[in-house]
Amino acid sequence: MELIATEQSYVEMLKNVAEGYYPYMAEGKKEIREKGVIAMPKELAEGRDKIVLGNIREIYEKQQK
């Protein structure tokens, strides 16, 4: 049961990044930003965000199954 609970917690954390942080980062890349969205640093906006977060979205999608 502990292993299952740990896996469920892990998937929930991946979900928070994939469904929460990724869209927020996309908004931060836009030229025009709405109130409350912090502009992404130039280096990350140029694609280095993929280095920082790697393949978390793909891991999340596989772990959901």
Side-chain angles (χ1 to χ4, degrees):
M1 292 304 285
E2 183 179 345
L3 182 59
I4 292 171
T6 301
E7 187 69 19
Q8 289 172 334
S9 175
Y10 175 67
V11 171
E12 186 63 30
M13 288 180 198
L14 289 173
K15 176 183 175 184
N16 290 338
V17 173
E19 294 180 3
Y21 193 68
Y22 268 105
Y24 184 80
M25 285 179 59
E27 287 297 315
K29 287 183 178 183
K30 291 183 180 179
E31 291 293 323
I32 300 172
R33 294 170 185 85
E34 296 178 21
K35 185 178 179 180
V37 176
I38 299 170
M40 183 181 291
K42 180 183 172 194
E43 292 81 10
L44 292 178
E46 292 174 349
R48 291 188 185 167
D49 57 321
K50 291 178 179 62
I51 295 170
V52 173
L53 296 174
N55 60 345
I56 289 177
R57 184 173 285 166
E58 290 83 10
I59 294 170
Y60 168 61
E61 290 170 1
K62 289 190 188 266
Q63 291 291 329
Q64 278 184 307
K65 298 176 182 179

